[in-house]
Amino acid sequence: MPAIRPLALAVVRRGDDLLVFEGRDEAKGETYHRPLGGGIEFGETAAEAVRRELKEELDAELTAVEQIAVLENVFTFEGRPGHEIVFLFAAELADKAFYERDEVGVVLDEGARVHWLPLADVASGRAILYPDGLADLLSAQA
């Protein structure tokens, strides 16, 4: 039986850009973007998870971590159903050098491209942002 996966994601902004990794769903033929972060481990708070995940994925320390929303995401990825409860945290990167380059690097444990995504690209349909509902949430906060 598939399980609901709890996630903690960092909403790190640089003006109207959002820090994301780039993923690919071959079944849909779709390139998409998602904020960095990942699964919450048993006994760990969502805030602890988002800090740990950014350390693992980007070797980055987060500051000003504040929960801003929880989204429920029911989706299909690579042809398989998925279900996530996503804790979203506004946060800042302690190392300001990350903000100075458009191409930030790659996710250390998997190699996905990490970059600043202009939210205008999402609004215009040029880029896909997951989880569903995040783009609406960010535009409402703008």
Side-chain angles (χ1 to χ4, degrees):
M1 167 112 180
I4 298 173
R5 184 170 176 231
L7 292 182
L9 302 182
V11 176
V12 179
R13 299 190 60 172
R14 180 185 73 176
D16 291 328
D17 298 343
L18 180 66
L19 186 67
V20 297
F21 78 85
E22 188 172 285
R24 181 93 184 141
D25 184 330
E26 294 300 339
K28 294 178 188 170
E30 169 184 285
T31 297
Y32 65 90
H33 304 86
R34 196 196 83 189
L36 281 80
I40 302 168
E41 296 176 357
F42 185 82
E44 179 180 55
T45 68
E48 290 166 346
V50 77
R51 289 177 187 277
R52 176 186 49 76
E53 285 285 343
L54 267 284
K55 186 69 177 161
E56 290 174 3
E57 294 179 343
L58 209 55
D59 195 22
E61 299 288 340
L62 292 178
T63 62
V65 176
E66 180 183 334
Q67 186 175 324
I68 54 172
V70 176
L71 294 175
E72 186 169 16
N73 191 27
V74 179
F75 61 97
T76 302
F77 178 70
E78 295 294 356
R80 292 185 300 277
H83 191 170
E84 301 168 334
I85 304 297
V86 184
F87 293 82
L88 296 169
F89 291 89
E92 295 175 11
L93 296 163
D95 182 351
K96 299 307 178 200
F98 284 112
Y99 294 95
E100 295 166 10
R101 52 189 197 264
D102 291 336
E103 290 294 325
V104 174
V106 296
V107 175
L108 297 177
D109 55 3
E110 65 177 54
R113 173 182 172 227
V114 178
H115 63 103
W116 294 101
L117 176 68
L119 290 172
D121 287 359
V122 177
S124 71
R126 285 192 304 270
I128 298 167
L129 180 65
Y130 289 131
D132 286 336
L134 178 56
D136 292 340
L137 179 75
L138 295 177
S139 66
Q141 289 181 342

